[in-house]
Amino acid sequence: MPSIRVFLLTYRRPKLLPRALASLRAQTFTDWICELHNDAPEDEAPGRLIAAIADPRITLHQHPKNLGPVATFNHAFRGGPEPFATLLEDDNWWEPDFLARAFGALRVSDSANVVWANMRVWQEETDGRWTDTGRTLWPVEPVGLPRRFRWPHPLQLTEALHSNGAMLFRRAASAAATVPATTPFAIIEPVRERLLGGDWLLLSEPLANFAITLQSSRGRDRLLWAQSQLLVAASYLESVPTPADVLRKIWAHQRALRPPATPLLFHLAFAGVRPFALLCHARPSDWLRFIAGVFRRPRFFFRVLRFRHDHAELWRTLHPAARQRTSEANEGVMSERVFAKWPA
């Protein structure tokens, strides 16, 4: 039996899929088997590509109907008989040492269920070229031991630590990371980090490549995006005993984003999520920006506050899961030092 099952996921990207597939076949670690999942039933291009390559390690799974990204990702996390599994999206690609480095790190760490790698960011241009932005998702550090993360980390208020396209996970635990079917795709990674316990390991070298494509599967529904952010943030703040100095840093972090994301914290407070602890750190300029937004779109403000009601099934999963992660941390290393250093 191979050590790793690779789930290569594609949906109507015939020009990008060959690059992802080539990066898989170029891996220095070769003890893998791959399921290529085509979620576009009418698209025959992936089948033709697999036939041309004729690599016996790669099998095509042509979906008879479109499942959508959440169901397809959940299938991957249910895994196969191999002890480890990984995801590769058709728009991303790996460096040749990705699987070798990830497998080596996860195999020797009994407390970790996931390892992921830093990613180099590329931008798709209108003429089809790809531009290296010179950025990475995490600061690049000298090659050494993986950086170890454990719930809770301040970035997990609204963001995810790991990346879908550059992770290796332990099959014995990964079924816990299957998200509710109603989960908005934009927050699938933060939700997963509340469901799956254990340590998470980061390889700081950019061993994978993240593509900013001209077309994205992430929707443009502003209400859904706002409510999704609130679901994630509320589950964190109602589960993690965040001290006042970290709340001040959270305000500073949200204030520094462009555009500023401080309305999220006001919405949390007005939805009853630690209102006094949150609002005492708001500046007059934060209040002015928030009030102006409410006057421009009062109906939107009240709809956003219904995030628990509108996504009741997801909330019933997300909130207890975050509490469970915090309970596990209390039994281990949970203390003020968890929040001692705000990430750059």
Side-chain angles (χ1 to χ4, degrees), residues 122-134:
W122 295 76
Q123 174 69 58
E124 183 183 16
E125 307 295 350
T126 55
D127 61 2
R129 293 181 299 108
W130 287 88
T131 300
D132 186 350
T133 66

Side-chain angles (χ1 to χ4, degrees), residues 153-285:
H153 189 281
L155 274 179
Q156 291 174 305
L157 173 73
T158 57
E159 303 171 39
L161 302 177
H162 77 287
S163 303
N164 281 329
M167 63 186 302
L168 181 73
F169 47 91
R170 199 180 299 278
R171 172 61 191 90
S174 65
T178 55
V179 304
T182 56
T183 302
F185 185 63
I187 57 169
I188 193 171
E189 290 156 305
V191 171
R192 186 182 298 136
E193 290 183 3
R194 285 150 175 76
L195 297 175
L196 183 58
D199 292 347
W200 296 61
L201 306 178
L202 168 64
L203 303 172
S204 66
E205 314 97 281
L207 297 172
N209 298 277
F210 178 79
I212 302 177
T213 55
L214 296 177
Q215 294 183 336
S216 172
S217 59
R218 296 177 187 264
R220 298 178 180 240
D221 186 329
R222 295 184 67 178
L223 177 62
L224 178 61
W225 169 251
Q227 289 188 328
S228 298
Q229 291 282 286
L230 287 170
L231 285 164
V232 172
S235 70
Y236 184 98
L237 288 177
E238 290 191 354
S239 306
V240 177
T242 314
D245 64 322
V246 173
L247 288 176
R248 282 195 296 271
K249 293 176 182 179
I250 286 173
W251 274 93
H253 178 74
Q254 300 296 102
R255 201 177 284 126
L257 297 176
R258 291 294 175 267
T262 50
L264 168 78
L265 303 177
F266 282 103
H267 284 122
L268 286 168
F270 281 97
V273 179
R274 301 183 64 182
F276 300 108
L278 279 173
L279 294 179
C280 69
H281 300 291
R283 296 176 179 175
S285 59

